[in-house]
Amino acid sequence: MTTAQLVTPSFTSNIHKFTVQQYHLMHEAGVFAVGDRYELINGEIREMSPIGIKHAVCVTKTTRFFQITLGDRALVWAQNPILLGDYSQPQPDLAILKWRDDFYASALPTPEDILLVIEVADSTIAYDRDVKMPLYSANGIPEMWLFDVNQQIIEGYTQPSASGYKRMQRYEQGDTLSLLAFPEVVFNWEALL
């Protein structure tokens, strides 16, 4: 009698992780078509979802609100890349950055520059919560907000750690919010959603 042995192949040895530098070289070489939306997450090139109307309106409204409210105290970085180590260059919907006179022309913002990251989700809530949020936390971004435009809820995450944000606050219609970096700036939920 013979016994069967289960062989589990190791697929991890066949996975190639791209660096940010390789990702940039691919852009420069024309690997991606003009208008394609990709981001680099943990060495993997991920196609980004198309932007729906609810998503676009929320990002525009929130961008305008923070530009007016924060003025020259911070930069509002809308749907632009940030640099998180050698293997990640996500494109959050919004990032509130420390003010720099060069508007980050010399280098992309890194975790030390980022005060708040905002992801707006109409169809990507699981991806934003399960993939991007842990990445932001592991890189020490102090605060992350997740807007669920379908449920009309804002989830605020603080106290980053390698295993995820330790604190979550849920905001609904009628609630007030403030940023960790600017606690004196208090505003209503309705200003954003």
Side-chain angles (χ1 to χ4, degrees):
M1 179 166 115
T2 61
T3 59
Q5 183 177 21
L6 179 62
V7 177
T8 305
S10 173
F11 292 108
T12 57
S13 63
N14 297 330
I15 295 175
H16 178 78
K17 299 279 188 179
F18 294 100
T19 65
V20 170
Q21 182 181 15
Q22 290 168 326
Y23 180 62
H24 285 214
L25 289 172
M26 292 168 77
H27 273 283
E28 291 168 14
V31 170
F32 308 114
V34 174
D36 284 351
R37 297 184 65 235
Y38 293 99
E39 60 186 351
L40 185 67
I41 305 292
N42 296 320
E44 297 176 3
I45 299 170
R46 305 268 184 123
E47 186 172 6
M48 297 174 69
S49 295
I51 296 174
I53 189 70
K54 287 192 242 179
H55 183 283
V57 168
C58 183
V59 169
T60 301
K61 184 177 179 181
T62 305
T63 299
R64 180 161 169 70
F65 173 80
F66 281 125
Q67 286 172 336
I68 291 168
T69 304
L70 297 176
D72 291 343
R73 293 187 286 174
L75 291 174
V76 181
W77 191 256
Q79 296 181 326
N80 289 318
I82 59 175
L83 185 61
L84 304 181
D86 292 333
Y87 292 93
S88 294
Q89 187 177 304
Q91 294 184 39
D93 290 307
L94 241 67
I96 306 300
L97 308 176
K98 293 178 182 174
W99 182 267
R100 270 191 20 193
D101 290 335
D102 75 343
F103 292 85
Y104 293 88
S106 60
L108 288 175
T110 62
E112 295 76 29
D113 303 309
I114 302 166
L115 305 171
L116 167 68
V117 167
I118 299 174
E119 291 291 352
V120 176
D122 53 358
S123 63
T124 60
I125 193 88
Y127 176 71
D128 291 336
R129 187 180 286 128
D130 300 339
V131 176
K132 293 182 85 174
M133 183 175 46
L135 177 66
Y136 297 146
S137 180
N139 280 277
I141 295 175
E143 188 169 17
M144 187 258 184
W145 291 356
L146 180 59
F147 289 23
D148 183 337
V149 295
N150 294 319
Q151 298 296 317
Q152 296 287 290
I153 293 168
I154 300 172
E155 295 175 0
Y157 296 89
T158 56
Q159 299 177 2
S161 72
S163 60
Y165 287 99
K166 295 178 183 178
R167 185 166 186 262
M168 190 274 273
Q169 178 73 40
R170 184 180 171 119
Y171 302 97
E172 298 176 357
Q173 189 171 7
D175 290 342
T176 57
L177 299 87
S178 66
L179 287 77
L180 283 178
F182 302 102
E184 72 283 2
V185 178
V186 178
F187 50 91
N188 290 327
W189 171 96
E190 290 82 0
L192 305 179
L193 276 176

